[in-house]
Amino acid sequence: MTTCDVPVGVITGDDVVKLLKHAKDNGYAIPAFNCTSSSTANAVMEAASKCNSPVMIQASNGGGQFMAGKTISDKNACAAGAVALALHVRTMAPYYGIPVIMHSDHCAKKLLPWFDGMLEADEAYFAQYGEPLFSSHMLDLSEEPDDENIAICVQYFKRMAPMKIWLEMEIGITGGEEDGVNNEDVDPEKLYTSPEQVYSVYQALAPIGSFFSIAAAFGNVHGVYKPGNVVLSPQKLLGHQAYAKEKLSSADDKPIYLVMHGGSGSTKEEIETAVSAGVVKMNVDTDTQWAYWDGLRKFSADNFDYLQGQIGNPKGPDAPNKKYYDPRVWIRKAEESMVARCIESMTLLGSKDTFPVKKPENGSLPVYNFKPLPFNPVSQAKKMLGL
């Protein structure tokens, strides 16, 4: 396998297409990890660097709120928090020497103001630097009638296309509950998308641009579950591709970019079948949430007697405990556990060792790695004002 020719750091536009096509053509998928803080984002990038793997970092609506601060009640807090996470990832990703797709996760109809806020940030960033802040965004309007779902996606895709922002959309519902969207009681029939539904999305979006992927449901459920409690049918994805290939008279056996949600608890065989059907990205959240906590849980259990007060432990009543309760110690244990779980996903999805890490020479990167365009509205205005 030849290495995909994309730069390190956050990638956008044509480089996103290159990377996802490389994944589809070479039979691997890129894990997309939900992050709620600089700590979890750093853990994901560390894992990718150790694995020689590209990676996706996702900000959800609730994750954006947490990044902003749970007490911030401003209507723009979720968007501002997601932007803050994206700026952090943009600043630090080059140091890890791997390509990162900066993505926003499920956006239901009620959350469209959050989506609008992130797009405003993309447009402002694009005016300054010639590329959007985020690499891609997801619209999840699967709870709406198909016609409305697709129509809204078309509307937003037209706005995103000039900036070459990748659009991920969902048709067919992922069950379970995640980030405030509850589909636990949904009609089981809606958990399986038909080939006709998938192709109708392609027909609507393809005339606008090629920068899109489809989350087609095949029994997926958000959250963790025991094997056997959920019936996944990833082979249905092969049917979607075959249907589209016939309709398009395409030479490509997998003409559509597919993504997988609700994969926690899936078997190795189910994931491999999905990837072989053209899935280029799989969401990972529940398992890494547990891993992050598990690292802290184990540290607390192993050092219980050193975490009951600032002073006093088995070494003596006056012995200090700062080196145990320092957040940089126990948060690091959580990160290390999450890193290990992220590596599992990269190995399972086949993205490990697909992109040899390219860490920069020590001290070669500037403190910030973005440069304004030589001519943009802001710089021109400042010049006119003599600033």
Side-chain angles (χ1 to χ4, degrees):
M1 182 193 306
T2 57
T3 302
C4 186
D5 181 25
V6 294
V8 302
V10 171
I11 61 172
T12 60
D14 293 334
D15 287 324
V16 172
V17 177
K18 278 185 188 178
L19 182 57
L20 295 181
K21 185 178 187 306
H22 187 266
K24 183 155 69 85
D25 291 347
N26 290 279
Y28 68 92
I30 300 168
F33 299 101
N34 283 64
C35 294
T36 57
S37 64
S38 58
S39 172
T40 51
N42 290 349
V44 168
M45 291 187 286
E46 179 183 341
S49 187
K50 287 181 175 178
C51 262
N52 295 298
S53 172
V55 74
M56 294 191 189
I57 288 178
Q58 300 188 148
S60 67
N61 178 267
Q65 176 69 71
F66 188 82
M67 185 75 184
K70 293 291 285 186
T71 62
I72 303 299
S73 58
D74 189 276
K75 66 179 183 179
N76 294 322
C78 297
V83 166
L85 182 65
L87 289 169
H88 169 77
V89 173
R90 273 195 167 274
T91 302
M92 298 313 304
Y95 289 90
Y96 290 89
I98 39 87
V100 177
I101 293 176
M102 187 66 218
H103 183 64
S104 65
D105 200 13
H106 293 264
C107 178
K109 187 176 180 180
K110 65 182 179 181
L111 301 179
L112 286 176
W114 169 58
F115 199 93
D116 290 331
M118 291 185 291
L119 275 186
E120 288 175 16
D122 283 317
E123 289 163 343
Y125 200 90
F126 188 86
Q128 283 277 330
Y129 307 113
E131 65 176 350
L133 176 62
F134 289 83
S135 314
S136 57
H137 293 295
M138 187 206 174
L139 284 171
D140 180 4
L141 303 164
S142 57
E143 293 180 311
E144 315 307 322
D146 284 0
D147 288 349
E148 183 180 1
N149 178 353
I150 295 171
I152 295 175
C153 287
V154 166
Q155 173 190 343
Y156 276 101
F157 195 36
K158 287 179 179 178
R159 183 177 173 186
M160 296 162 65
M163 295 180 283
K164 293 187 174 181
I165 301 175
W166 188 276
L167 171 66
E168 177 185 329
M169 70 83 66
E170 182 162 343
I171 190 159
I173 293 175
T174 300
E177 188 277 333
E178 182 181 59
D179 209 44
V181 178
N182 193 323
N183 291 323
E184 292 176 309
D185 298 320
V186 73
D187 180 354
E189 293 262 337
K190 294 184 178 180
L191 298 180
Y192 299 93
T193 308
S194 72
E196 291 80 8
Q197 286 177 294
V198 172
Y199 187 65
S200 67
V201 174
Y202 184 91
Q203 283 183 302
L205 297 182
I208 303 168
S210 59
F211 288 60
F212 67 91
S213 54
I214 302 171
F218 52 94
N220 321 61
V221 175
H222 285 134
V224 70
Y225 46 84
K226 289 183 178 180
N229 285 4
V230 171
V231 181
L232 291 179
S233 301
Q235 67 275 8
K236 288 182 177 292
L237 302 180
L238 293 167
H240 301 337
Q241 297 286 19
Y243 185 86
K245 174 183 171 68
E246 180 182 356
K247 287 289 186 179
L248 296 168
S249 299
S250 174
D252 189 348
D253 289 336
K254 296 178 286 186
I256 296 177
Y257 289 92
L258 298 173
V259 300
M260 179 177 178
H261 297 166
S264 297
S266 302
T267 67
K268 180 175 182 290
E269 291 72 24
E270 288 168 339
I271 291 173
E272 287 176 346
T273 299
V275 173
S276 70
V279 163
V280 294
K281 170 232 187 190
M282 188 177 92
N283 286 10
V284 185
D285 185 18
T286 305
D287 290 339
T288 45
Q289 286 181 355
W290 169 259
Y292 195 86
W293 156 249
D294 199 37
L296 172 55
R297 181 189 64 80
K298 289 177 180 177
F299 177 78
S300 177
D302 292 344
N303 298 281
F304 180 84
D305 291 339
Y306 296 85
L307 295 168
Q308 303 311 303
Q310 287 185 284
I311 302 294
N313 60 49
K315 295 181 179 178
D318 298 327
N321 294 316
K322 188 178 186 305
K323 67 178 182 179
Y324 294 95
Y325 64 76
D326 183 335
R328 291 168 294 183
V329 176
W330 50 266
I331 288 178
R332 179 56 187 159
K333 294 301 181 182
E335 289 176 353
E336 289 172 349
S337 181
M338 183 171 171
V339 167
R341 183 58 187 81
C342 290
I343 289 174
E344 285 185 32
S345 290
M346 292 168 190
T347 303
L348 181 61
L349 292 172
S351 68
K352 183 180 179 182
D353 294 328
T354 61
F355 190 93
V357 67
K358 300 176 183 176
K359 286 190 177 180
E361 183 180 345
N362 191 10
S364 64
L365 288 179
V367 175
Y368 61 91
N369 52 33
F370 46 86
K371 295 181 180 179
L373 295 172
F375 299 103
N376 63 69
V378 175
S379 63
Q380 288 175 350
K382 287 183 176 180
K383 186 176 181 179
M384 290 174 62
L385 293 171
L387 299 176

